[in-house]
Structure formats: C-alpha cells, structure tokens
C-alpha cells in the first residue's frame, strides 16, 4: 500500500510538472505570436506607405513633364491640354463672378475669385483671378467684386489651364453655394453658355485681371523629390522595425 501511495504521488507530480511545462510553452508561443504580429504590422505599413509615396513621385514627375511639354496657346479653338499655358484676349463677365471658399495661401485663410471670360471669338472660359485674404471672416464680399463695365477695353490674360475631370476639385460635404461663395471649382455653378471647355484658367503673375489678388494655385503641393524622400523614410522605418523584431526577440 505504501509503495502504491508513493507511485500515485509520483504520477501526480509528473502530471503537474507536465501541465506547468505545457503552460509555459503555451505562454511563450503566445508572446512570440504577439511579438511578431506587432512588428510585422509595422513593417507592412512602412513598405505600403513607401510604395504609395513612390507612386506619388511618379505621378508628380509625369505632371511636371506634361507641363514642360505643353504648348503655349493663344485664343485656342480647341480645349487645351492640361497644364498648358494659355493666352486669351477678351472681357470678363464680372456679374457672373463667384468666390471659391476656404482657400489657403502662406497660412492665410481666404477666397479665390472665379469669373467667366469671353474671348474675341466668343468662347467662354472660367478664370481664376487670384486669392484674397479674408482672415476667416464669413461676411459678404460683394464690395470686393469687380464692377461690371460694358465699355471697358479688351484685356489680355495668361495663365495655366487646369482640365477638370470631376475629381480635381476635391470632395466636399455640402455642394450648396452660400451667397456668392462656392465650395469647389465646378462648372455647375455657372450657366452653360458662359463656358465652352471643362476647366479653369489660373492667372499667373503680372497677368491682367489679377489685380491686387495673389496667385495661389499650384499643379502640385510637393515635388517628386520630396515624395521620393518620404518613400525612403518609410522604407528605412520598415528595415529598422525588422532589425528590432529580430534582435529584440533574442
């Protein structure tokens, strides 16, 4: 009986030891799964963001080449290529002016003046006449609108043409205008007879029609080189995370 009791205690102790070992192994496996899941998530995120910035750099480079290769057009009969330099002679339809709301320039908040323009051939163009700082005020801006003058002389304006494809103006929650303020560049805010081509001409420095307003629009905010720099930073982050995952676990 004494021998049997000793054997039972020995078997019971073995089971307890085995259970403890299994628990330790299970805990170690769980820690390993959590460890690698965490670092693999960081590595994957870094690689995806690096690839995204690389693609953005390629897109910006294509835009830059498109702008360099685009022709300079004078009173064109056909729709210009995107980012073409366009020179027009004609008159503004000042009564059809609108304020493009919520624009920023050098940290200032304001609006941009958009006015249809009729060239000497009778074709209508939508023209961006520059940025005006409002310091975020929501007051009416009627006093700053150009005054209509039926006897005014012909103007010669020049700028960069931005073709509108339905996505260039960005997403907004509310498309309804607020008085003369509109939330985005969209031809729906003007009668169809005021324009012939789907796009907007952004006036450049020293162009007639710009007045005291400032040129604000840029084809892109970041250069291809900056996007490549960001791509390299995200890739290095993924590499560093891989090194930490391996050495830290050891």
């Amino acid at each position: 009986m004494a021998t049997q009791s000793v054997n039972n205690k020995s078997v019971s102790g073995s089971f307890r030891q085995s259970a403890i070992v299994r628990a330790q192994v299970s805990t170690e496996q769980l820690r390993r799964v959590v460890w690698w899941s965490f670092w693999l998530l960081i590595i994957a995120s870094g690689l995806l963001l690096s690839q995204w910035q690389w693609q953005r750099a390629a897109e910006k480079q294509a835009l830059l080449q498109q702008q360099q290769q685009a022709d300079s057009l004078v009173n064109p009969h056909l729709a210009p290529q995107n980012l073409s330099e366009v020179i027009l002679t004609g008159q503004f339809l000042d009564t059809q002016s609108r304020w493009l709301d919520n624009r920023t320039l050098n940290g200032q908040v304001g609006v941009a003046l958009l006015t249809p323009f009729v060239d000497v051939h009778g074709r209508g163009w939508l023209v961006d006449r520059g940025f005006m700082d409002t310091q975020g005020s929501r007051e009416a801006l009627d006093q700053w609108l150009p005054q209509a003058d039926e006897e005014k002389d012909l103007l010669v304006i020049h700028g960069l043409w931005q073709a509108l494809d339905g996505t260039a103006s960005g997403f907004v929650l509310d498309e309804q205008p607020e008085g003369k303020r509109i939330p985005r560049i969209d031809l729906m805010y003007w009668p169809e007879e005021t324009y012939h081509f789907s796009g907007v001409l952004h006036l450049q420095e020293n162009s007639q029609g710009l007045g005291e307003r400032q040129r604000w629009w840029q084809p892109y905010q970041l250069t291809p080189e900056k996007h490549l720099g960001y791509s390299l930073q995200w890739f290095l982050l993924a590499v560093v995370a891989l090194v930490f995952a391996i050495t830290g676990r050891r």
Side-chain angles (χ1 to χ4, degrees), residues 37-240:
S37 297
F38 172 76
W39 286 109
L40 287 176
L41 178 62
I42 294 180
I43 294 169
S45 299
L47 292 176
L48 288 174
L49 289 170
S50 176
Q51 182 184 18
W52 176 65
Q53 288 291 344
W54 186 277
Q55 292 175 345
R56 294 289 292 165
E59 293 172 0
K60 296 298 177 62
Q61 186 63 37
L63 277 177
L64 186 60
Q65 292 178 352
Q66 186 180 23
Q67 183 177 358
Q68 293 173 345
Q69 296 172 359
D71 297 327
S72 181
L73 307 173
V74 179
N75 295 317
H77 294 269
L78 301 176
Q81 183 182 0
N82 189 43
L83 300 182
S84 296
E85 183 179 359
V86 178
I87 301 173
L88 299 174
T89 302
Q91 293 183 336
F92 284 105
L93 299 179
D94 290 322
T95 58
Q96 297 289 337
S97 294
R98 301 286 187 274
W99 296 108
L100 180 60
D101 208 0
N102 296 322
R103 302 300 104 179
T104 58
L105 178 65
N106 299 327
Q108 298 175 328
V109 179
V111 293
L113 180 62
L114 300 179
T115 307
F117 184 89
V118 179
D119 65 21
V120 290
H121 301 293
R123 288 181 292 272
W125 305 76
L126 182 61
V127 178
D128 163 28
R129 303 174 67 178
F131 171 88
M132 187 180 76
D133 180 19
T134 63
Q135 298 181 351
S137 173
R138 303 303 301 173
E139 296 180 358
L141 301 171
D142 293 345
Q143 70 272 23
W144 300 105
L145 287 170
Q147 300 299 317
D149 184 2
E150 296 181 356
E151 298 180 358
K152 61 185 176 182
D153 298 330
L154 294 177
L155 300 176
V156 178
I157 64 175
H158 65 89
L160 287 181
W161 177 254
Q162 178 193 9
L164 298 180
D165 58 2
T167 60
S169 56
F171 172 76
V172 293
L173 293 176
D174 187 4
E175 295 185 349
Q176 295 302 316
E178 181 183 335
K180 292 286 187 177
R181 296 175 185 250
I182 59 175
R184 66 176 185 176
I185 301 177
D186 197 315
L187 298 177
M188 64 180 284
Y189 298 109
W190 288 270
E192 291 186 6
E193 61 270 15
T194 59
Y195 60 86
H196 281 71
F197 307 117
S198 180
V200 57
L201 183 68
H202 299 276
L203 295 186
Q204 301 299 290
E205 297 291 348
N206 303 321
S207 173
Q208 288 185 300
L210 193 62
E212 297 181 356
R213 292 171 296 275
Q214 298 175 277
R215 181 175 63 89
W216 65 278
W217 182 82
Q218 297 291 339
Y220 42 79
Q221 300 299 321
L222 297 177
T223 63
E225 291 76 16
K226 286 189 176 181
H227 281 292
L228 289 176
Y230 291 144
S231 176
L232 179 60
Q233 289 179 6
W234 285 116
F235 179 77
L236 290 177
L237 174 65
V239 173
V240 171

